[in-house]
């Protein structure tokens, strides 16, 4: 099944794009998608501890199961003043 992955901030910089479409196996979770990204872009791996995730515009745990055509967003922490 395919999912669309949206990236922001440093993650977008690492990938060189904000949107990716990737195949994930049946039974995949948000963490499965993240692990695939971290394998494809190793510089992303250290960011895992500070990320939030959303699926189809709702915050989601990394254990959430994915369905075909879901949109997964990985959100880095917001900073600023």
């Amino acid at each position: 099944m395919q999912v669309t992955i949206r990236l922001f901030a440093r993650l977008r910089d690492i990938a060189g794009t904000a949107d990716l479409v990737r195949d994930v196996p049946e039974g995949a979770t948000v963490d499965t998608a993240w692990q695939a990204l971290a394998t494809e872009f190793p510089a992303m791996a250290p960011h895992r501890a500070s990320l939030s995730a959303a699926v189809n515009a709702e915050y989601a745990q990394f254990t959430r199961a994915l369905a075909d055509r879901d949109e997964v967003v990985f959100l880095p922490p917001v900073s600023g003043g």
Side-chain angles (χ1 to χ4, degrees):
M1 62 186 179
Q2 284 192 334
V3 297
T4 298
I5 299 172
R6 299 195 70 208
L7 303 169
F8 295 92
R10 182 70 182 128
L11 300 179
R12 179 184 59 215
D13 294 344
I14 292 168
T17 184
D19 299 309
L20 301 166
V21 176
R22 294 293 183 265
D23 291 321
V24 295
E26 291 291 329
T29 64
V30 172
D31 193 57
T32 305
W34 172 255
Q35 292 301 324
L37 272 183
T39 298
E40 186 176 351
F41 303 101
M44 289 187 187
H47 297 276
R48 168 63 177 88
S50 61
L51 292 178
S52 297
V55 176
N56 301 329
E58 294 186 12
Y59 282 105
Q61 300 290 320
F62 276 69
T63 55
R64 174 163 171 183
L66 297 176
D68 191 37
R69 299 182 181 217
D70 275 350
E71 179 185 76
V72 182
V73 179
F74 292 107
L75 303 158
V78 177
S79 64

